[in-house]
Amino acid sequence: MNRLPFYLLITALVLIGTAFSLYRHAVYGVPWLPGEQRQQWEVEARIEFIANGDPAKVTMAIPGDQSNFILTDESSSSQGYGVALLDDGHQRRAEWSTRSAKDQQLIYYKARFLVDASAQHKVLAPTEPTPQFFEDVRQTAALSILEDALERSADNPTLARELVRQLNDPQNQNAALLLNSMNREEALVSLLSMEKIPARTVATLTLEDGRRRQSVQPWVQVWDDHKERWQLFNPQTGTEGKPDNLLIWSYEYQSLLDVIGGRQSDVSFSMIAQDISPETATREKITAEDLLNFSIHSLPVEEQAMFKTIMLIPVGALLVVFLRIIVGLKTSGTFMPVLIAVAFVQTELAPGIIGFLLIVGTGLMIRSYLSHLNLLLVARISAVIIAVIMIISVFTVIAYRVGLLEGLSITFFPMIILSWTIERMSILWEEEGAKEVFVQGGGSLFTAVLVYLAMTSELIRHLTFNFVGLQLIILALILLLGNYTGYRLSELRRFRHLAKPSQD
């Protein structure tokens, strides 16, 4: 058989994959190693609402340059809407409008931020706030809290710190009285206004790579008149200062999103981190004719975060192919270890292994009982699936009750795959004995652990997501391994006597 077309295909895959990777590195400045260059965050706001069928106008507060972040690019995707970016010098806003809208509406706003410790932004001095007063008993409680905090403070930030401490004190009855009718951030701003100290509630996002459907969290900014700057406080934990991964999305928490002509509005945020060169980060938005817009990097951030895990699966597949064909390791199923490894990524390794052993072990005992009922295959598999769901539910509740929060993550296991694994191992036990079950089960678990280690490698995660051409190279390697017809490494022990010196 002529193998030339096969080898030409392998060569083409490797060359194309290498060319795509080199192009991505040379033209767009994406580094080969993670963390080699500067970091950029891409944050996307997803606005959903149900339109009434009349003209609709949507206004959302949007961020700008701030401490540690420089806004390098922003864009909007809203079919049928006109869009305008407004800036009154205090708060930037995006406004979408249309003459007619009905049913479910979806609007995207995307912003890119370059991480820069020397980022400069304009700080506007606030006006003196109007004091806010409470009624009757709550006013007395507020004055008591203020009086105690003033004695323990020296300036605006230390006063705010003492107020947060008192509001978070479960034994403080005055604080409990105030918090019965308002949030901590509202109480803190109101108390500071009684001393004519400028403060405001801001909407913040904690940036975590690959997170989806996140909501903003309220923090409080307090004006430091000595340093002439805003000091940030977390009213829930008392944390003072701005963490490096905290992005202030809006300086107006209460008016983050306004919708006219619609109902049931909601906004959620997705985010993803990218390691790029400073030149690339400040480059203008890539035009639609560019080759990069045909890749996963042109998708919404929420889908990109999902693909960051999906793009790791070919690496796991390559490992499974190598271990089965070259090493000769036996596994239960071909790519079941890859799916289990994906679950391990969500659960962490130790809880994942314990959960896997508990579910499969208990499932095998239940399957052993079902085998005596002589059920048909479809009914038996369905019963095993239900049994697996019940096992996961019971173990999750038990883990929660005893305080093992890591055990809650076993719900990430693929239930259908586990059910088929239990069925396959049970049949294997009946046909070839317990030894073969332990061999294949142990091989599957060992392979899943290796795949997990590969998937959690920062280098591999960086390369697979940022260099899509690498997938073609992995495909070429799998095809080459599939063409191997020699002995497996595990089979060489059959010829170990040939390596012994002759007795003659």
Side-chain angles (χ1 to χ4, degrees), residues 264-458:
Q264 298 181 18
S265 60
D266 181 59
V267 58
S268 60
F269 299 86
S270 303
M271 58 204 68
I272 195 168
Q274 298 173 341
D275 291 320
I276 56 176
S277 66
E279 294 78 14
T280 303
T282 55
R283 190 176 300 166
E284 293 185 353
K285 180 182 174 182
I286 301 169
T287 58
E289 294 76 18
D290 204 293
L291 181 62
L292 188 64
N293 272 355
F294 291 95
S295 72
I296 61 175
H297 298 84
S298 62
L299 296 174
V301 175
E302 182 176 352
E303 281 68 28
Q304 287 190 48
M306 177 181 63
F307 269 102
K308 199 158 193 175
T309 299
I310 293 178
M311 300 301 282
L312 292 169
I313 293 180
V315 176
L318 176 62
L319 276 174
V320 172
V321 170
F322 176 80
L323 291 174
R324 286 180 63 94
I325 295 178
I326 304 300
V327 179
L329 189 67
K330 294 183 178 180
T331 62
S332 179
T334 306
F335 294 109
M336 185 271 286
V338 178
L339 298 177
I340 297 300
V342 172
F344 285 170
V345 173
Q346 304 293 331
T347 63
E348 301 294 337
L349 185 58
I353 293 176
I354 295 173
F356 175 77
L357 293 176
L358 287 175
I359 294 171
V360 174
T362 308
L364 281 175
M365 290 188 290
I366 296 176
R367 171 60 179 80
S368 177
Y369 169 74
L370 293 177
S371 64
H372 297 294
L373 301 180
N374 296 323
L375 300 176
L376 295 176
L377 177 62
V378 175
R380 190 168 65 238
I381 289 295
S382 300
V384 172
I385 292 175
I386 296 174
V388 168
I389 294 175
M390 294 177 63
I391 293 169
I392 292 177
S393 302
V394 170
F395 287 159
T396 302
V397 172
I398 293 175
Y400 176 73
R401 289 295 183 183
V402 300
L404 297 175
L405 299 182
E406 294 83 358
L408 300 179
S409 58
I410 65 173
T411 54
F412 287 105
F413 279 112
M415 286 175 278
I416 304 300
I417 299 300
L418 287 177
S419 301
W420 275 106
T421 300
I422 293 170
E423 175 70 15
R424 179 184 178 88
M425 287 186 174
S426 180
I427 295 175
L428 192 65
W429 193 307
E430 295 172 357
E431 294 179 351
E432 300 189 33
K435 179 181 178 181
E436 190 64 22
V437 171
F438 284 107
V439 169
Q440 292 195 17
S444 299
L445 189 58
F446 176 75
T447 303
V449 171
L450 291 181
V451 175
Y452 164 82
L453 295 176
M455 286 184 169
T456 53
S457 168
E458 191 65 29

Side-chain angles (χ1 to χ4, degrees), residues 45-49 58 60 96 105-108 257 266-267:
R46 175 190 175 105
I47 304 172
E48 298 177 272
F49 68 97
V58 179
M60 184 183 69
W96 295 269
Q105 300 292 302
L106 187 62
I107 296 175
Y108 287 102
L257 177 66
D266 181 59
V267 58

Side-chain angles (χ1 to χ4, degrees), residues 107-256:
I107 296 175
Y108 287 102
Y109 169 82
K110 185 186 296 184
R112 293 177 183 170
F113 295 91
L114 177 66
V115 177
D116 189 344
S118 60
Q120 301 293 326
H121 63 286
K122 188 177 181 181
V123 178
L124 297 177
T127 58
E128 185 176 286
T130 302
Q132 302 179 29
F133 298 100
F134 304 91
E135 72 282 354
D136 301 333
V137 180
R138 295 172 64 237
Q139 176 71 11
T140 304
L143 290 174
S144 177
I145 293 175
L146 263 177
E147 181 180 358
D148 185 59
L150 285 169
E151 293 179 356
R152 301 168 181 266
S153 61
D155 50 23
N156 293 355
T158 56
L159 176 60
R161 185 191 311 144
E162 285 300 316
L163 290 175
V164 171
R165 184 186 62 81
Q166 292 198 48
L167 291 174
N168 288 324
D169 184 2
Q171 305 300 324
N172 192 316
Q173 297 182 356
N174 291 324
L177 187 61
L178 289 181
L179 296 178
N180 281 336
S181 57
M182 61 175 56
N183 298 323
R184 283 182 174 85
E185 57 272 13
E186 295 173 338
L188 179 58
V189 172
S190 298
L191 289 170
L192 290 170
S193 72
M194 295 174 67
E195 289 296 315
K196 298 183 179 181
I197 298 175
R200 60 190 181 188
T201 303
V202 298
T204 67
L205 281 173
T206 300
L207 300 179
E208 298 180 29
D209 189 20
R211 295 298 299 272
R212 300 184 292 165
R213 297 298 180 97
Q214 299 300 297
S215 57
V216 293
Q217 299 298 322
W219 284 50
V220 174
Q221 278 189 327
V222 179
W223 179 252
D224 186 346
D225 50 1
H226 294 299
K227 298 182 179 179
E228 295 188 346
R229 68 179 185 183
W230 291 99
Q231 184 72 0
L232 200 61
F233 290 87
N234 186 340
Q236 304 299 324
T237 63
T239 303
E240 180 180 354
K242 185 175 183 291
D244 291 339
N245 65 333
L246 190 75
L247 175 70
I248 298 178
W249 188 267
S250 168
Y251 297 112
E252 300 173 352
Y253 179 75
Q254 298 299 333
S255 60
L256 173 65

Side-chain angles (χ1 to χ4, degrees), residues 30-52:
V30 180
W32 295 113
L33 299 176
E36 180 180 318
Q37 298 184 23
R38 297 169 67 180
Q39 189 179 53
Q40 175 181 263
W41 284 96
E42 189 168 331
V43 185
E44 181 182 77
R46 175 190 175 105
I47 304 172
E48 298 177 272
F49 68 97
I50 299 177
N52 298 330

Side-chain angles (χ1 to χ4, degrees), residues 91-104:
Q91 174 64 63
R92 301 177 68 247
R93 304 189 71 88
E95 185 176 273
W96 295 269
S97 57
T98 183
R99 181 62 62 179
S100 177
K102 62 180 180 178
D103 301 329
Q104 186 75 24

